[in-house]
């Protein structure tokens, strides 16, 4: 691939740096999650976050919403939830004798769907319409949700009793799945220290108009055809590992990633390049996002479960087997 004439590093290493710095005044150690949240905001994607309770997932979303001046809502998903609890509904007003439309908590900028797999299928499908269409249908009325709109859904990997696993079609709607681990000892010490101090007051570092302008700049980030080809080769290799010399993985993969993964990979790489101060995408931008974009889109066989082979193992081996394009700096 060739970087085009005029491509340059923008002033400042990270245009989103002030926002992330503001969030990190409260959140300790979740650098990868915060970066992926920024990528999702800049591309209009959604995140599925998997991690045990107590890892500040809710606090991270609330703090990010405050830093960009956006609205934040949290929904605790439970088995007795109904679609109207998310979207709103028609309420009869006795004093007027008329029905009135009430808007649910999905009408916000950042929505935290906590433990999304605890809600039944009807509720999950109601959220799916909002995620995909950016609108809600209540009776005969269709209402658009605010812009930007980001869903961050969480899953607890420990408990499976009383849960409703998300179908593959819905999981595929999430741009990325981020796995959040425990903090190290130094980070946990800082977390405890901050918990016994007065909470920091956050000042919005961006307006929603600023964010919209950044999204437009991300949309103008240059993507070389070799980068698109690299993304296609990575995704198709998850469907047929034998084609890249990984025949031993064929029996573990029932279904590979869909074309939606390729689109998400390129879009995410554009946002990551923007965050890194560039107006062009490089192969490492795709490689850094590959696990988060692909891990939840692979359907593995029972043989993979028996042999303790997970999606991260498959994606990591695919990354090592698919050659990245060579970068040629024009004029060098």
């Amino acid at each position: 691939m060739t970087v085009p004439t005029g491509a340059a590093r923008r002033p400042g290493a990270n245009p989103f740096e002030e926002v992330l710095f503001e969030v990190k005044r409260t959140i300790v150690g979740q650098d990868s999650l915060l970066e992926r949240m920024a990528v999702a905001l800049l591309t209009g994607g959604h995140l599925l976050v998997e991690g045990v309770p107590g890892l500040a997932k809710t606090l991270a979303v609330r703090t990010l919403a405050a830093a960009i001046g956006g609205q934040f809502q949290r929904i605790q998903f439970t088995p007795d939830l109904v679609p109207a609890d998310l979207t709103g509904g028609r309420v009869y007003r006795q004093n007027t004798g008329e029905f009135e439309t009430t808007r649910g908590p999905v009408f916000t900028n950042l929505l935290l769907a906590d433990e999304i797999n605890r809600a039944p299928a009807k509720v999950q499908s109601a959220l799916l319409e909002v995620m995909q269409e950016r609108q809600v249908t209540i009776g005969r009325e269709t209402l658009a949700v605010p812009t930007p709109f980001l869903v961050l859904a969480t899953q607890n990997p420990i408990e499976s009793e009383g849960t409703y696993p998300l179908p593959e079609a819905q999981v595929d709607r999430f741009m990325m799945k981020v796995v959040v681990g425990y903090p190290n000892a130094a980070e946990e010490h800082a977390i405890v220290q901050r918990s016994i101090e007065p909470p920091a007051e956050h000042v919005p570092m961006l307006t929603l108009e600023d964010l919209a302008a950044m999204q437009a700049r991300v949309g103008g980030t240059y993507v070389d055809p070799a980068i698109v080809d690299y993304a296609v080769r990575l995704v198709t290799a998850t469907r047929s590992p034998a084609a890249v010399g990984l025949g031993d993985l064929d029996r573990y993969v029932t279904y590979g990633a869909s074309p939606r993964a390729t689109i998400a990979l390129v879009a995410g790489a554009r946002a990551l390049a923007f965050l890194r101060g560039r107006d062009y995408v490089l192969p490492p931008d795709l490689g850094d996002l590959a696990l988060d974009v692909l891990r939840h889109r692979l359907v593995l066989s029972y043989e993979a479960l028996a042999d303790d082979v997970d999606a991260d193992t498959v994606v990591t081996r695919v990354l090592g087997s698919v050659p990245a394009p060579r970068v040629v700096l024009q004029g060098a």
Side-chain angles (χ1 to χ4, degrees):
M1 60 169 284
T2 303
V3 175
T5 303
R9 182 172 293 275
R10 294 189 178 95
N14 185 343
F16 218 77
E17 188 172 6
E18 290 185 356
V19 176
L20 295 178
F21 178 79
E22 182 70 14
V23 174
K24 288 177 184 178
R25 292 176 56 205
T26 299
I27 305 300
V28 178
Q30 302 288 13
D31 291 350
S32 178
L33 173 61
L34 295 178
E35 185 179 60
R36 298 323 186 245
M37 288 168 60
V39 168
L41 272 174
L42 291 170
T43 57
H46 305 291
L47 288 183
L48 180 61
V49 181
E50 186 171 280
V52 299
L55 296 181
K57 300 183 292 293
T58 303
L59 185 60
V61 182
R62 181 184 291 116
T63 308
L64 181 63
I68 65 169
Q71 297 177 321
F72 168 79
Q73 292 285 353
R74 174 181 179 270
I75 305 174
Q76 180 65 51
F77 279 58
T78 55
D80 60 346
L81 216 61
V82 296
D85 294 328
L86 274 68
T87 61
R90 302 275 290 171
V91 178
Y92 179 72
R93 301 295 184 189
Q94 190 172 7
N95 58 336
T96 63
E98 297 178 351
F99 283 92
E100 180 181 312
T101 300
T102 60
R103 302 191 178 202
V106 296
F107 290 90
T108 186
N109 296 121
L110 275 77
L111 175 69
L112 178 65
D114 222 348
E115 295 190 282
I116 187 174
N117 56 332
R118 290 199 175 277
K122 280 187 177 181
V123 177
Q124 293 176 3
S125 63
L127 182 62
L128 180 61
E129 181 194 359
V130 189
M131 290 169 57
Q132 182 65 23
E133 307 297 337
R134 301 296 205 274
Q135 66 182 29
V136 172
T137 302
I138 301 175
R140 298 180 180 178
E141 192 174 1
T142 299
L143 306 171
V145 295
T147 301
F149 177 70
L150 168 67
V151 173
L152 189 149
T154 68
Q155 288 188 146
N156 182 349
I158 299 176
E159 298 174 325
S160 59
E161 185 177 349
T163 61
Y164 302 83
L166 298 176
E168 283 73 17
Q170 182 163 356
V171 172
D172 198 35
R173 303 288 181 177
F174 287 96
M175 180 182 186
M176 292 177 284
K177 176 182 177 180
V178 182
V179 177
V180 180
Y182 287 112
N184 59 38
E187 291 169 345
E188 192 156 353
H189 184 277
I191 291 171
V192 175
Q193 187 63 40
R194 292 188 189 185
S195 72
I196 60 178
E197 297 173 352
E201 293 186 8
H202 292 282
V203 178
M205 308 304 294
L206 290 177
T207 64
L208 296 181
E209 291 74 19
D210 293 332
L211 180 59
M214 283 190 175
Q215 289 174 335
R217 289 173 64 187
V218 168
T221 300
Y222 177 74
V223 183
D224 191 271
I227 290 289
V228 177
D229 177 68
Y230 181 43
V232 171
R233 287 187 287 116
L234 282 174
V235 174
T236 55
T238 66
R239 304 170 198 160
S240 181
V244 292
L246 299 175
D248 59 309
L249 294 182
D250 265 356
R251 68 182 188 276
Y252 296 136
V253 180
T254 303
Y255 296 102
S258 72
R260 193 178 280 122
T262 316
I263 296 171
L265 199 54
V266 173
R270 289 176 113 178
L272 202 57
F274 176 82
L275 291 173
R276 292 170 175 176
R278 283 182 275 105
D279 57 8
Y280 54 91
V281 177
L282 293 176
D285 298 326
L286 270 72
D288 290 347
L289 291 176
L291 276 174
D292 298 312
V293 171
L294 296 174
R295 63 162 55 101
H296 58 297
R297 292 183 160 97
L298 301 186
V299 179
L300 302 184
S301 64
Y302 288 107
E303 195 170 354
L305 180 63
D307 291 350
D308 199 25
V309 174
D310 59 10
D312 283 17
T313 301
V314 174
V315 175
T316 301
R317 291 193 58 189
V318 165
L319 274 172
S321 299
V322 177
R326 179 173 175 266
V327 178
V328 179
L329 296 177
Q330 196 165 29

